[in-house]
DNA sequence: GCCCGATCATGATT
DNA sequence: CAATCATGATCGGG
């Protein structure tokens, strides 16, 4: 957000303990959005800190989409989109710099959805050894991600080849055991039903909004993560099955997509600053249609004939594009350079290159998506929607190997929220080239975490939150005694997916709960992590919540809600954020304590849990944590009725003793500097109510 | 309408 | 770690 980037150059004052001590805890209240409606998402000067959720009431049984996102219509006038023509691109004429309105002609037509055949196969419940009693119902089946089907018949005569035949697979296959095949079709169907994405009408497919785009992306990611988990459990780590492609393919063939109509200008529902981790995500929400090509364009009808105009580009750095200062982008045309046989050719003025050339003269706005390296995972890439640009000029030049390439100079349209520039600033803070403005303490953890967490206030004079002791983990006065202890594992090198001998994987229903990137692969009622009696090292994948936060976080003063938590690093959907540290106290035994996590409250369920689990998420242990006197960064996470963070119960046990923990994971991709919030849940004790002014459309009006 | 090829992918391996 | 490989999907154009 922009306030984070102001540079007025004063040095951070040293901390004054006497003032700090008297400050009241303030993790409450006050609106975040000045105006709940009528603001165009395009012209809003800064990105909304929260994505919002429609007002479904506290917990409606089986009605509205359970995890929706607020939909400020792109036009800001919700009723109007239905009045547009079915081909539906609003012609605003003016903004494109044309004398006449453009009437765009989409080059593609709708793909007919193919009907999915339900695969047959003998159904079997996954191994499920949860050690609290009444979880062996449908509930747990859903929470662990649907049932598992075993194909005993090899491909049943369809003749369909899958995977690569080359490398021999390890584990089961190598030993000649029956490979476990999971039919993912019903899994997807269930997700689509839960999120009301079955039979999207043509209008919604053609033109989206924020709420719909959010749902599509959420389902894609949930599905993709689950398929990653299934693939790995069958083939072991490193199975190159491209779950991203498979997931998006299945969604697209079912017509689960939006903004399929190409348009010049912003894609409805996609905000400047939004981030993506797969090219396919750009396709699904119509931000950029081609799966690989960097230039998207459409045929536009002008006075007499049609001509192609560029609508969006992806700058991935593959052609040594010059990043410039953040408002300028030098973009290289497509084609020419890479050939299989090593031969190189001149680029031709056709396709995307031609469209960009035309767009120079028409001066239309072009969406720009900037690809950057994912620092947390160098082989991955992150795509940042950086808003609208206009092409100032174009030219041809010789590249290093002497071929002609086209170059285009793009200038960012002023008045848009900062996006890529935020990333640049953060990089400068990290490199020490520039200093973060308003830093009160460089590291409020005093080195207790692997990364510093700075305390920042750039909005007023307050010198810090009330004094507390920083403790990085949870304090138990007495561990819980397990009635049915689970065995510990013997994975010396760390638990590996697909290892059917690993006791901890068995406890988790046969799946490793986390990906190699620290992403939670499917939500569960309870996750069994490795404990002190396990043989695996501390960096084992099944100890995700034990290693402290991975992202670079900061505690900052919000405008109206006291102190809050946010991240300098982008966080992928499902990514681990931190544990709720503090002191375990007796349930119900708190009154004047604003730093409580109470697992016995009623919480909005996530994904497919909704329909049958209306009451509450089941908690096998009445865990209540107070972080009033001591805690970690999560004590600063504010409440929101439409949060971007979700908690997940985790148990670590060794022998017959266990400790339960609360681990926080990102619900969706979270761009840098967006405040992290979770839902505090509902309490039966009315007197604990506080007024909530989080401003989201589905705000319940209060929280606890 | 069908097929084919171009395309700033992804992930793992060498 | 940069280069390479294998697998891949969409869309425009022939």
């Amino acid at each position: 957000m922009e306030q984070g980037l102001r540079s007025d150059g004063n040095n951070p004052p040293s901390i004054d303990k006497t003032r700090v001590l008297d400050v009241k805890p303030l993790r409450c209240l006050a609106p975040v959005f000045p105006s709940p409606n009528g603001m165009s998402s395009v012209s809003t000067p800064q990105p909304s800190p929260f994505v919002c959720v429609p007002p479904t009431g506290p917990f409606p049984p089986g009605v509205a989409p359970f995890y929706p996102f607020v939909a400020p219509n792109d036009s800001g006038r919700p009723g109007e989109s239905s009045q547009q023509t079915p081909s539906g691109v609003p012609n605003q004429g003016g903004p494109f710099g044309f004398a006449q309105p453009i009437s765009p002609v989409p080059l593609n037509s709708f793909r007919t959805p193919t009907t999915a055949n339900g695969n047959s196969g003998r159904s079997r419940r996954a191994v499920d050894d949860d050690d609290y009693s009444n979880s062996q119902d449908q509930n747990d089946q859903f929470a662990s991600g649907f049932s598992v089907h075993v194909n005993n018949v090899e491909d049943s005569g369809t003749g369909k080849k899958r995977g690569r035949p080359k490398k021999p697979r390890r584990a089961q296959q190598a030993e000649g055991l029956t490979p476990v095949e999971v039919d993912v079709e019903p899994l997807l169907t269930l997700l689509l039903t839960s999120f009301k994405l079955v039979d999207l009408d043509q209008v919604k497919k053609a033109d989206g909004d924020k709420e719909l785009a959010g749902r599509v992306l959420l389902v894609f990611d949930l599905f993709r993560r689950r398929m990653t988990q299934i693939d790995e459990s069958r083939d072991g780590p490193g199975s190159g099955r491209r779950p991203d492609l498979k997931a998006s393919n299945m969604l697209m063939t079912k017509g689960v997509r939006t903004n399929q109509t190409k348009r010049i200008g912003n894609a409805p529902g996609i905000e400047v600053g939004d981030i993506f981790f797969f090219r396919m995500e750009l396709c699904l929400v119509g931000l950029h249609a081609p799966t690989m090509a960097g230039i998207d364009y459409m045929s536009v009808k002008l006075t007499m004939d049609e001509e192609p105009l560029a609508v969006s580009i992806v700058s991935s750095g593959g052609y040594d594009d010059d990043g410039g200062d953040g408002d300028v982008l030098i973009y290289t045309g497509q084609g020419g350079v890479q050939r299989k046989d090593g031969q190189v050719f001149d680029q031709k003025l056709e396709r995307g290159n031609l469209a960009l050339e035309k767009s120079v003269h028409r001066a239309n706005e072009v969406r720009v998506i900037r690809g950057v390296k994912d620092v947390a995972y160098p082989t991955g890439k992150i795509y940042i929607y950086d808003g609208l640009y206009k092409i100032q000029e174009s030219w041809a030049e010789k590249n290093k190997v002497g071929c002609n390439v086209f170059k285009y100079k793009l200038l960012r349209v002023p008045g848009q929220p900062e996006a890529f520039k935020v990333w640049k600033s953060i990089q400068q803070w990290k490199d020490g080239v520039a200093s973060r403005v308003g830093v009160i303490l460089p590291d409020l953890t005093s080195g207790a975490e692997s990364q510093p967490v700075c305390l920042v206030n750039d909005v007023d004079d307050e010198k810090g939150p009330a004094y507390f002791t920083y403790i990085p983990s949870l304090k138990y006065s007495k561990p819980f005694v397990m009635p049915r202890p689970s065995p510990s594992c013997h994975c010396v090198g760390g638990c590996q997916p697909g290892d059917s001998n690993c006791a901890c994987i068995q406890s988790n229903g046969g799946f490793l709960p986390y990906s190699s990137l620290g992403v939670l692969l499917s939500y569960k009622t309870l996750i069994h992590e490795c404990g002190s009696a396990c043989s695996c090292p501390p960096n084992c994948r099944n100890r995700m919540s034990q290693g402290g936060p991975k992202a670079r976080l900061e505690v900052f003063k919000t405008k109206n809600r006291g102190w809050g938590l946010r991240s300098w690093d982008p966080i992928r959907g499902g990514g681990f954020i931190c544990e709720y540290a503090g002191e375990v106290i007796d349930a119900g035994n708190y009154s004047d304590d604003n730093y409580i996590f109470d697992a016995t409250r009623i919480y909005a369920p996530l994904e497919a849990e909704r329909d049958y689990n209306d009451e509450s998420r089941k908690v096998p242990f009445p865990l209540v944590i107070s972080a009033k006197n001591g805690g970690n960064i999560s004590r600063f996470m504010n409440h929101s009725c439409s949060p971007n963070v979700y908690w997940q119960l985790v148990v670590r046990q060794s022998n017959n003793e266990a400790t339960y923990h609360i681990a926080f994971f990102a619900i969706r991709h979270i761009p840098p500097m967006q405040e992290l919030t979770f839902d505090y849940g509902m309490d039966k004790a009315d007197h604990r109510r506080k007024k909530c002014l989080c401003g989201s459309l589905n705000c319940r009006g209060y929280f606890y």
Side-chain angles (χ1 to χ4, degrees):
Chain A
M1 268 168 286
E2 61 174 18
Q3 68 264 33
L5 302 169
R6 246 181 258 141
S7 53
D8 48 13
N10 51 356
N11 279 330
S14 61
I15 188 161
D16 179 350
K17 279 274 164 87
T18 56
R19 289 198 56 185
V20 169
L21 282 171
D22 284 335
V23 181
K24 284 274 184 225
L26 277 174
R27 65 167 188 177
C28 349
L29 320 185
V32 171
F33 300 119
S35 113
N37 60 355
M39 293 292 288
S40 158
S41 60
V42 177
S43 63
T44 310
Q46 62 181 48
S48 334
F50 310 122
V51 181
C52 310
V53 181
T56 54
F59 300 113
V63 196
F66 95 139
Y67 219 77
F69 301 76
V70 147
N73 193 310
D74 189 50
S75 65
R77 294 158 303 225
E80 266 190 19
S81 57
S82 58
Q83 291 166 12
Q84 286 165 2
T85 54
S87 57
V89 181
N91 290 331
Q92 285 130 341
F96 306 151
F98 291 90
Q100 303 92 349
I102 304 176
S103 47
V105 182
L107 296 175
N108 57 329
S109 55
F110 295 117
R111 178 167 293 245
T112 45
T114 56
T115 48
N117 59 331
N119 267 348
S120 57
R122 223 151 41 83
S123 179
R124 187 195 75 178
R125 279 298 314 279
V127 191
D128 206 329
D129 198 20
D130 279 350
D131 35 43
Y132 53 99
S133 50
N134 43 8
S135 71
Q136 308 297 337
D137 54 13
Q138 198 192 18
N139 184 3
D140 198 60
Q141 171 184 337
F142 279 77
S144 68
F146 323 96
S147 56
V148 174
H149 297 255
V150 180
N151 260 349
N152 282 335
V153 189
E154 203 36 62
D155 271 339
S156 57
T158 61
K160 205 177 170 195
K161 290 276 189 326
R162 34 187 342 192
R164 11 178 182 184
K166 295 236 171 120
K167 277 190 289 183
R169 304 242 171 248
R170 63 188 81 174
Q172 310 97 320
Q173 222 159 326
E175 292 156 26
L177 300 177
T178 309
V180 176
E181 286 297 332
V182 178
D183 183 6
V184 292
E185 193 75 42
L187 199 155
L188 178 58
T189 306
L190 193 56
L191 276 176
L192 295 182
T193 311
S194 298
F195 287 93
K196 304 284 183 239
L197 286 172
V198 182
D199 292 331
L200 274 184
D201 58 79
Q202 296 295 322
V203 179
K204 290 217 131 188
K205 270 190 267 189
D207 302 283
D209 52 56
K210 181 162 182 172
E211 184 269 337
L212 177 60
R215 255 157 51 210
V216 169
L217 290 172
L218 190 51
V219 165
F220 166 76
D221 207 49
L222 290 171
F223 190 47
R224 183 193 60 79
R225 276 146 62 185
R226 184 75 180 117
M227 294 226 295
T228 304
Q229 187 178 43
I230 292 166
D231 280 1
E232 280 199 336
S233 83
R234 178 190 48 228
D235 302 332
S239 47
R241 291 233 179 172
R242 298 304 303 271
D244 57 322
L245 296 183
K246 205 179 282 180
S248 65
N249 182 24
M250 288 178 74
L251 288 183
M252 288 213 184
T253 50
K254 285 179 184 296
V256 183
R257 60 189 305 179
T258 187
N259 292 332
Q260 202 172 15
T261 304
K262 289 196 182 184
R263 75 204 68 215
I264 288 168
N266 281 296
I270 310 300
E271 293 188 357
V272 176
D274 282 354
I275 60 172
F276 305 86
F277 286 79
F278 295 92
R279 281 288 297 260
M280 280 306 191
E281 294 177 323
L282 308 178
C283 305
L284 284 168
V285 294
L287 188 61
H288 185 82
T291 52
M292 295 180 81
I295 306 166
D296 195 9
Y297 55 97
M298 65 190 287
S299 178
V300 173
K301 191 160 195 154
L302 294 163
T303 44
M304 305 199 271
D305 40 23
E306 297 180 2
E307 67 180 55
L309 290 184
V311 295
S312 60
I313 57 170
V314 177
S315 168
S316 294
Y319 288 96
D320 69 354
D321 300 343
D322 186 8
D325 66 354
D327 281 337
V328 184
L329 175 67
I330 309 295
Y331 191 78
T332 308
Q334 65 186 189
V337 271
Q338 64 268 36
R339 274 291 178 278
K340 259 193 188 152
D341 47 10
Q343 247 192 322
V344 284
F345 301 96
D346 285 350
Q347 289 187 348
K348 292 188 190 127
L349 196 56
E350 57 182 22
R351 301 165 189 269
N353 298 345
L354 179 62
L356 284 169
E357 188 60 36
K358 297 282 185 187
S359 288
V360 176
H361 299 105
R362 295 295 172 188
N364 64 297
E365 294 165 329
V366 178
R367 298 189 294 269
V368 168
I369 299 109
R370 290 181 182 257
V372 298
K373 231 187 203 172
D374 186 351
V375 284
Y377 191 64
T379 58
K381 212 172 259 179
I382 305 174
Y383 299 94
I384 309 157
Y385 179 45
D386 201 32
L388 302 175
Y389 281 64
K390 281 188 183 180
I391 313 175
Q392 191 188 43
E393 55 176 325
S394 68
W395 65 93
E397 64 181 45
K398 289 249 188 267
N399 67 1
K400 285 173 205 143
V401 290
C403 293
N404 275 327
V405 294
F406 295 104
K407 292 279 184 177
Y408 304 88
K409 182 179 183 184
L410 292 100
L411 294 181
R412 195 163 191 257
V413 174
Q416 303 179 87
E418 285 185 344
F420 183 60
K421 208 174 242 185
V422 175
W423 290 66
K424 290 198 124 187
S425 300
I426 291 169
Q427 194 54 53
Q428 290 181 333
W429 303 338
K430 285 186 171 179
D431 294 345
V433 180
S435 62
R436 177 90 173 88
V437 170
V439 173
I440 298 167
L441 259 182
D443 182 14
L444 62 80
T445 79
S446 308
E449 306 285 7
S450 58
Q451 298 204 65
V453 177
C454 63
L455 179 67
V456 183
N457 184 351
D458 54 13
V459 299
D460 60 26
D461 292 337
E462 195 179 331
K463 293 301 178 199
Y467 186 76
F468 72 103
T469 306
Y470 194 95
I471 52 173
S473 57
L474 192 55
K475 274 207 252 176
Y476 267 84
S477 49
K478 48 183 186 301
F480 184 67
V481 178
M482 302 298 277
R484 281 189 297 143
S486 292
S488 302
C489 74
H490 306 289
C491 309
V492 178
C495 305
Q496 295 296 328
D499 182 359
S500 50
N501 295 322
C502 171
C504 297
I505 287 179
Q506 285 169 16
S507 298
N508 285 307
F511 296 105
L512 198 55
Y514 308 113
S515 81
S516 53
L517 281 63
V519 167
L520 182 67
L521 292 174
S522 68
Y523 296 103
K524 288 205 65 172
T525 316
L526 179 63
I527 282 181
H528 296 259
E529 288 197 358
C530 294
S532 55
C534 293
S535 315
C536 57
N539 66 351
C540 170
R541 258 164 82 167
N542 198 31
R543 296 178 183 269
M544 194 50 67
S545 75
Q546 303 170 30
K550 302 271 181 297
R552 182 76 149 82
L553 302 170
E554 75 170 25
V555 172
F556 73 108
K557 183 74 190 287
T558 64
K559 286 212 174 91
N560 294 307
R561 293 156 46 105
W563 298 89
L565 182 68
R566 64 187 174 192
S567 171
W568 289 11
D569 296 326
I571 304 174
R572 332 165 65 109
F576 173 67
I577 294 170
C578 61
E579 169 186 12
Y580 198 101
E583 209 172 329
V584 177
I585 61 171
D586 292 337
N589 193 19
Y590 58 90
S591 52
D592 186 26
D593 190 337
N594 278 325
Y595 294 96
I596 285 290
F597 181 91
D598 186 345
T600 67
R601 289 179 186 168
I602 299 165
Y603 290 89
L606 201 60
E607 61 172 297
E609 297 175 330
R610 180 176 53 88
D611 281 342
Y612 57 90
N613 187 6
D614 204 36
E615 276 292 297
S616 159
R617 295 159 67 186
K618 269 190 191 149
V619 177
F621 183 72
L623 183 58
V624 179
I625 303 166
S626 168
K628 187 178 185 180
N629 301 317
N632 67 352
I633 47 201
S634 53
R635 73 197 291 279
F636 294 107
M637 229 191 302
N638 283 308
H639 165 84
S640 172
C641 299
S642 36
N644 52 14
V645 174
Y646 194 67
W647 63 268
Q648 162 73 60
L649 192 70
V650 168
V651 67
R652 305 168 197 162
Q653 64 173 315
S654 49
N655 303 322
N656 63 341
E657 287 194 341
T659 52
Y660 288 88
H661 298 261
I662 299 300
F664 289 107
F665 296 91
I667 290 171
R668 55 178 179 272
H669 307 326
I670 304 176
M673 306 305 278
Q674 186 178 83
E675 184 174 1
L676 306 177
T677 55
F678 74 102
D679 188 336
Y680 284 8
M682 311 270 284
D683 201 336
K684 288 167 192 100
D686 246 22
H687 62 274
R688 285 194 198 127
R689 248 186 215 216
K690 299 180 195 71
K691 191 169 185 193
C692 178
L693 297 166
C694 77
S696 54
L697 282 186
N698 72 327
C699 179
R700 300 192 289 263
Y702 50 86
F703 70 97
Y704 298 90

